[in-house]
């Protein structure tokens, strides 16, 4: 007998109520433009499961780590593809939202890490529009104890011959004001020799892999450059940096150049206040995550969304 969770994942039907324990990739929505291809898995959190270029020899160059075909736990997902983060990004301190005199526990049992990156990546999204170059998904999330607001989210992925646009939005359908934050979480390939450059007003670093909060600030002037040794960000073992948007431009632009200089990926966002840069030592992936608020500081750094209003975040990835 097929479980309700498995059936919803197979058909792409949105899950109602608690987060399903397992997500199962199905037949992806495939977009193509020129030599670029993109695949989306609506049933796996609206994840962009593949982003690649096919060259003249019919070989594929994957910019993102491709998502496999095997089912996976909703709280222990593969480090692959790109997924939306909502109604907040990363984690809240002690899994608690302090809001108008209330302390709301955002952890949703039994998923052990259900507070990490919100719920959008753990639910099945509904396909509302599809074409050879674009896909639009919708997620309707009724109020629940862990998040007592009803919201509706949209995720649009548009591919052209030069790259991909990803647009994420969340609308408050509750009568009361809702705090909200958005983020996008791609896993880029990060092999030895790849080079990352970007600019930031200031960079905050987590002291260790076990501590997720930014606690050490280092101000930079000009471009920051990191060369991959097959994973990791620095020689001191820090895996995560939290970069503030440059004050002079108000937008992020981060570029990965792959060995040989024949391929590159440039991430741009004009809506993000922070860019989370994440790569654990020994793991050949690099996350460049545009976010509207600082990790752990949601209580002081969120957007208040009144009834019927919408918060949006866009990310452009130019590919060469």
């Amino acid at each position: 007998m097929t479980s309700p969770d498995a059936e919803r994942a197979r058909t792409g039907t949105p899950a109602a109520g608690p987060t399903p324990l397992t997500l199962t990739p199905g037949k992806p929505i495939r977009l193509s433009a020129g030599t670029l291809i993109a695949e989306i898995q609506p049933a796996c959190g609206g994840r962009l499961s593949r982003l690649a270029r096919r060259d003249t020899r019919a070989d594929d160059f994957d910019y993102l780590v491709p998502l496999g075909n095997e089912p996976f736990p909703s709280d222990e997902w593969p480090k692959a593809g790109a997924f939306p983060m909502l109604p907040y990004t990363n984690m809240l301190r002690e899994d608690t939202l302090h809001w108008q005199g209330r302390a709301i526990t955002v952890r949703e049992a039994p998923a052990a890490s259900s507070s990490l990156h919100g719920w959008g990546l753990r639910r099945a999204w509904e396909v509302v529009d599809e074409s050879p170059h674009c896909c639009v998904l919708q997620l309707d999330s009724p109020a629940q104890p862990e998040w007592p607001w009803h919201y509706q989210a949209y995720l649009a992925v548009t591919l052209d011959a030069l790259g991909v646009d990803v647009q994420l939005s969340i609308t408050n359908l509750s009568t009361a004001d809702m705090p909200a934050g958005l983020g996008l979480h791609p896993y880029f390939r990060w092999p030895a020799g790849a080079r990352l450059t970007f600019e930031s007003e200031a960079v905050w670093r987590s002291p260790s892999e076990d501590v997720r909060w930014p606690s050490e600030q280092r101000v930079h002037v000009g471009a920051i450059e990191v060369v991959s040794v097959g994973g990791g960000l620095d020689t001191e073992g820090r895996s995560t940096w939290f970069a503030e948007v440059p004050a002079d431009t108000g937008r992020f632009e981060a570029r990965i150049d792959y060995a040989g200089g024949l391929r590159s990926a440039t991430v741009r966002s004009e809506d993000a206040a922070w860019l989370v840069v994440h790569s654990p030592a020994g793991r050949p992936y690099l996350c460049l995550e545009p976010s509207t608020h600082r990790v752990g500081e949601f209580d002081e750094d969120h957007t208040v969304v009144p009834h019927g209003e919408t918060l949006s975040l866009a990310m452009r990835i130019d590919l060469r």
Side-chain angles (χ1 to χ4, degrees), residues 294-315:
R294 181 183 171 191
V295 60
E297 303 298 333
F298 186 74
D299 298 348
E300 291 81 26
D301 194 25
H302 58 261
T303 298
V304 177
V305 182
H307 168 72
E309 296 296 315
T310 299
L311 173 67
S312 300
L313 172 68
M315 176 179 69

Side-chain angles (χ1 to χ4, degrees), residues 99-100 148-149 172 174-180 303-307 309:
W99 175 254
Q100 298 182 343
W149 296 274
N172 178 16
S174 294
T175 56
D177 290 350
M178 178 182 74
T303 298
V304 177
V305 182
H307 168 72
E309 296 296 315

Side-chain angles (χ1 to χ4, degrees), residues 84-89 117-120 125 137-142 147-156 167-174 177-184 271 292-293 298 302-314:
M85 297 184 284
L86 67 136
Y88 59 87
T89 75
H117 301 319
W119 293 279
W125 292 58
L137 309 179
Q138 173 187 294
L139 175 67
D140 187 82
S141 183
W147 196 261
W149 296 274
H150 180 190
Y151 62 83
Q152 190 172 74
Y154 283 90
L155 179 66
Q167 296 180 313
L168 178 64
S169 68
I170 185 170
T171 301
N172 178 16
L173 300 184
S174 294
D177 290 350
M178 178 182 74
L182 297 175
L184 293 163
D271 305 316
T292 62
H293 65 89
F298 186 74
H302 58 261
T303 298
V304 177
V305 182
H307 168 72
E309 296 296 315
T310 299
L311 173 67
S312 300
L313 172 68

Side-chain angles (χ1 to χ4, degrees), residues 31-185:
L31 309 180
S32 63
T35 58
L36 292 179
I37 56 174
E39 295 181 353
I40 298 98
Q41 286 282 354
C44 294
R47 188 179 299 243
L48 177 60
S49 57
R50 192 174 186 210
L51 184 61
R53 183 181 296 278
R54 180 158 292 171
D55 68 17
T56 56
R57 296 168 299 177
D59 294 328
D60 292 347
F61 180 88
D62 284 286
Y63 296 93
L64 300 179
V65 179
L67 180 70
N69 298 318
E70 296 300 317
F72 57 89
S74 61
D75 66 342
E76 194 175 332
W77 55 87
K79 304 302 186 283
F83 58 75
M85 297 184 284
L86 67 136
Y88 59 87
T89 75
N90 290 284
M91 295 187 72
L92 306 188
R93 293 185 186 272
E94 298 179 348
D95 299 325
T96 302
L97 169 65
H98 300 280
W99 175 254
Q100 298 182 343
R102 301 166 60 188
I104 302 169
T105 301
V106 297
R107 182 180 295 277
E108 183 187 19
S113 66
S114 66
S115 61
L116 180 60
H117 301 319
W119 293 279
L121 77 158
R122 308 167 207 280
R123 303 286 173 83
W125 292 58
E126 178 185 2
V127 180
V128 296
D129 194 14
E130 181 182 350
S131 74
H133 308 299
C134 181
C135 174
V136 180
L137 309 179
Q138 173 187 294
L139 175 67
D140 187 82
S141 183
Q144 59 188 62
E146 297 80 13
W147 196 261
W149 296 274
H150 180 190
Y151 62 83
Q152 190 172 74
Y154 283 90
L155 179 66
V157 179
T158 305
L159 189 69
D160 59 51
L162 300 178
V164 64
D165 287 294
V166 182
Q167 296 180 313
L168 178 64
S169 68
I170 185 170
T171 301
N172 178 16
L173 300 184
S174 294
T175 56
D177 290 350
M178 178 182 74
L182 297 175
L184 293 163
H185 196 307

Side-chain angles (χ1 to χ4, degrees), residues 202-213:
V203 169
W204 298 69
R205 303 176 298 178
S206 59
S208 71
E209 178 65 14
D210 297 328
V211 179
R212 295 181 180 271
W213 319 118

Side-chain angles (χ1 to χ4, degrees), residues 191-203:
R195 184 183 306 269
L196 167 68
T197 55
F198 68 99
E199 292 188 2
S200 173
E201 187 69 18
V203 169

